Amino acid sequence: MLLTQMMVAVVALTRTRNLFAVVVLFGLYSFLTATVMVALDAVDVAMTEAAVGAGISTVLLLGALHLCNSEEEKPAHKPWLPLLVTIGTGLVLVYGTWDLPPFSDPEAPIHTHVAPRYLEQGPRETGVPNVVTAVLASYRGFDTLGETMVVFTAGIGVIALLRRRRYVRRGKQ
């Protein structure tokens, strides 16, 4: 049921020209993705997706939309090259998944090498008793910092654009 709703949201995203509707549909899609993550018992990922994908990103996109027209312009030509690049990239990504172990395979490397090490040695190596916090803050600290910086930079960019528009309206340029 959730996957059907996600597919409907994607089809609606590709068909609409109203940018406000696109932002709302992106937020809905992120929320549905968070719901799928809860169903897969990845609550920490679901909370992050809900906060960043459905929350902050939607607010930032609405702020950016405030600076634009509400309707997307029709393209001057048919976008065949971007379509071919997208299809090629998708085929390469699908090809890259052929070598992965089956989903939930107990003999997959993540279950035999990485997870036991995090569970057994994580509290001792990081000094953090919670394994999820240890992985996000210590083992993947630079990745988490990078994600935070991307969201922060996007927010600063939207604020800077909104302030610039206010000055242009007053005639101060």
Side-chain angles (χ1 to χ4, degrees):
M1 181 69 177
L2 276 174
L3 295 178
T4 305
Q5 293 171 342
M6 291 174 76
M7 287 189 290
V8 168
V10 168
V11 169
L13 274 167
T14 61
R15 305 299 302 158
T16 186
R17 289 258 187 246
N18 184 315
L19 296 178
F20 180 76
V22 168
V23 170
V24 170
L25 285 169
F26 267 124
L28 173 69
Y29 184 82
S30 291
F31 180 73
L32 291 172
T33 302
T35 307
V36 168
M37 293 300 158
V38 168
L40 292 173
D41 289 332
V43 180
D44 56 328
V45 177
M47 290 176 62
T48 303
E49 178 63 32
V52 175
I56 295 172
S57 295
T58 302
V59 170
L60 292 176
L61 286 171
L62 287 173
L65 183 61
H66 179 68
L67 303 172
C68 303
N69 295 329
S70 64
E71 293 289 323
E72 180 183 7
E73 298 292 327
K74 295 226 183 234
H77 55 83
K78 298 287 183 190
W80 296 113
L81 180 62
L83 178 64
L84 291 175
V85 169
T86 303
I87 290 172
T89 304
L91 291 174
V92 168
L93 290 172
V94 168
Y95 174 73
T97 63
W98 285 348
D99 199 26
L100 292 174
F103 184 72
S104 73
D105 179 14
E107 298 302 318
I110 191 168
H111 298 299
T112 59
H113 299 293
V114 179
R117 178 169 181 259
Y118 285 166
L119 292 173
E120 294 166 6
Q121 300 174 9
R124 184 178 49 81
E125 289 180 350
T126 63
V128 178
N130 185 315
V131 176
V132 174
T133 304
V135 169
L136 290 177
S138 185
Y139 293 119
R140 292 185 54 208
F142 287 117
D143 182 44
T144 304
L145 177 65
E147 293 168 0
T148 305
M149 290 303 296
V150 166
V151 172
F152 178 75
T153 305
I156 294 298
V158 169
I159 290 170
L161 289 171
L162 289 173
R163 291 191 69 187
R164 170 116 174 110
R165 185 171 181 181
R166 188 173 19 171
Y167 288 138
V168 170
R169 280 188 189 160
R170 292 181 185 165
K172 294 182 180 178
Q173 184 80 17

